Amino acid sequence: MPREWVIDAYNGYEALRLQDCVHVPPKAGEVRLRIEAFALNWGDMNLMKDQYSFSFERLPARIGCEATGIVKAIGEGVTGIEIGKRYCTLPYFYYDNGASADTLTTPAKYLTPAPENMNAVEACSVWMQFMTAYYPVIEMSKAGPGVNILATAATGTAGNAALQIGRAAGATMIGTTRSASSVGYLKDSGADHVFVDDGSDLAAFIKDVTTGVGVHGVFDPVGGDFPTRYGPCLAKNAKIMLYGTLNEKFPAIPFVDMWQSNAWLHMYSLFNYVEDDAAKKRGTDYVYAGLSDGSLKPLIDKVYPMEDYIGGWRYMEQPRAKHGKVVIETGA
């Protein structure tokens, strides 16, 4: 019998439990997958505490929206998807119908073919990180020569993706980290400059490395007081894309600095772009091309078996010497 990990209340990942489930036949517009692997994401950790941009519609609920699987059944009206082929789920507002299971029935519009020459673990690690970074770095910040972009918490998978994407476009990329041991990793990923955050003056560092120009784009999942620390180094018409609250506090907005630089603030969620068919196609096309030419390279940190899903969350939450995605293999 297929299995699923579910949560019964907003008590965090320690409250997850594994249970048997059934295959749900696909309705019109839906597809059923046999899930091979699914990835862990910080947003899902927040969701399990009811601290995310949406809540579960009902409980018990499954977690996660980033998976790879084999198509087993197709609902009425679905075209362009083949039974027996491997597909990936794209990140979307999945509410209680997450991918933490051996089987998943989901709308066909949120599926995309697995990248060629990738196994299931690799394929499920691609879409959240690279598509999250694509729109802010390429479409909003207009990454290219002469454009300076700041990626905070750059050792995270989306931050690392931003560095890779910015480097490929020729932008000057600046990453932040709390650990000096991560500097080499960030520079290998695409950072031209790395700020090791020991509480010193971030804005002064950025002004120095950009010869006074400042940053044209900021890709920030940190929140709290962090925007006030880089606010004084915003270039004219800079764009700030806030997409998280890693320090668990809503961001303090540097209003005066933004007025002076004519800056633009965007509360950003990838899910809204996946909902737009044209935007979704631009994002997936970019990622496929980057994977094909080698400019984008997903990194897997650790793989856990289905039975040790909670162990994967414990590992992800602790300080890590390595970087990359944490993935669950179902064995289904």
Side-chain angles (χ1 to χ4, degrees), residues 13-71:
Y13 63 79
E14 293 288 355
L16 286 162
R17 60 183 175 85
L18 183 63
Q19 65 178 20
D20 290 336
C21 65
V22 298
H23 296 295
V24 177
K27 295 181 287 190
E30 293 183 336
V31 171
R32 179 168 68 82
L33 299 173
R34 171 173 58 81
I35 298 297
E36 299 171 286
F38 58 91
L40 279 59
N41 287 287
W42 282 106
D44 300 320
M45 188 177 291
N46 293 334
L47 176 58
M48 288 185 278
K49 300 175 183 177
D50 202 18
Q51 297 173 351
Y52 202 43
S53 58
F54 66 91
S55 300
F56 296 123
E57 289 187 325
R58 62 188 63 83
L59 293 165
R62 291 179 179 181
I63 313 301
C65 57
E66 195 174 25
T68 304
I70 304 298
V71 174

Side-chain angles (χ1 to χ4, degrees), residues 150-165:
L150 172 65
T152 68
T155 56
T157 53
N160 178 264
L163 297 180
Q164 293 188 45
I165 291 170

Side-chain angles (χ1 to χ4, degrees), residues 1-288:
M1 235 181 136
R3 303 159 298 167
E4 62 181 1
W5 280 97
V6 298
I7 195 165
D8 298 295
Y10 292 110
N11 295 328
Y13 63 79
E14 293 288 355
L16 286 162
R17 60 183 175 85
L18 183 63
Q19 65 178 20
D20 290 336
C21 65
V22 298
H23 296 295
V24 177
K27 295 181 287 190
E30 293 183 336
V31 171
R32 179 168 68 82
L33 299 173
R34 171 173 58 81
I35 298 297
E36 299 171 286
F38 58 91
L40 279 59
N41 287 287
W42 282 106
D44 300 320
M45 188 177 291
N46 293 334
L47 176 58
M48 288 185 278
K49 300 175 183 177
D50 202 18
Q51 297 173 351
Y52 202 43
S53 58
F54 66 91
S55 300
F56 296 123
E57 289 187 325
R58 62 188 63 83
L59 293 165
R62 291 179 179 181
I63 313 301
C65 57
E66 195 174 25
T68 304
I70 304 298
V71 174
K72 303 301 289 184
I74 294 174
E76 182 181 353
V78 174
T79 60
I81 292 179
E82 299 180 48
I83 290 178
K85 297 291 187 179
R86 176 178 287 158
Y87 286 79
C88 300
T89 60
L90 295 173
Y92 75 107
F93 294 108
Y94 65 89
Y95 298 105
D96 54 293
N97 189 37
S100 56
D102 293 327
T103 181
L104 173 68
T105 299
T106 192
K109 66 179 292 185
Y110 301 125
L111 296 182
T112 194
E116 294 182 4
N117 303 317
M118 281 190 171
N119 60 34
V121 168
E122 293 167 332
C124 83
S125 73
V126 167
W127 301 104
M128 179 70 87
Q129 62 176 312
F130 289 119
M131 287 186 73
T132 296
Y134 163 74
Y135 299 99
V137 174
I138 297 297
E139 296 199 356
M140 299 176 210
S141 298
K142 308 297 182 186
V147 175
N148 306 322
I149 299 175
L150 172 65
T152 68
T155 56
T157 53
N160 178 264
L163 297 180
Q164 293 188 45
I165 291 170
R167 173 177 58 187
T172 297
M173 300 301 298
I174 304 164
T176 74
T177 178
R178 291 179 295 181
S179 174
S181 64
S182 297
V183 171
Y185 167 68
L186 295 182
K187 288 193 171 181
D188 289 343
S189 299
D192 297 281
H193 310 284
V194 177
F195 176 77
V196 179
D197 191 5
D198 57 1
S200 56
D201 193 332
L202 172 59
F205 173 87
I206 292 172
K207 287 181 179 179
D208 180 53
V209 300
T210 62
T211 62
V213 174
V215 288
H216 302 95
V218 182
F219 185 55
D220 183 9
V222 178
D225 69 346
F226 219 67
T228 66
R229 294 180 62 193
Y230 56 71
C233 69
L234 295 172
K236 287 296 182 183
N237 302 310
K239 296 177 175 64
I240 302 172
M241 285 72 67
L242 292 170
Y243 70 103
T245 53
L246 287 177
N247 68 3
E248 300 186 352
K249 294 180 181 179
F250 284 118
I253 307 303
F255 290 105
V256 173
D257 294 318
M258 292 180 64
W259 277 320
Q260 291 178 344
S261 60
N262 198 39
W264 178 80
L265 172 64
H266 181 37
M267 307 305 290
Y268 168 70
S269 170
L270 166 64
F271 298 166
N272 292 303
Y273 291 79
V274 173
E275 294 288 344
D276 181 289
D277 289 341
K280 177 177 68 177
K281 186 176 187 308
R282 294 195 306 271
T284 53
D285 284 352
Y286 178 89
V287 174
Y288 283 125

Side-chain angles (χ1 to χ4, degrees), residues 295-308:
S295 60
L296 303 183
K297 296 179 181 179
L299 179 65
I300 308 299
D301 180 359
K302 201 163 185 177
V303 179
Y304 284 82
M306 180 70 163
E307 295 77 13
D308 199 16

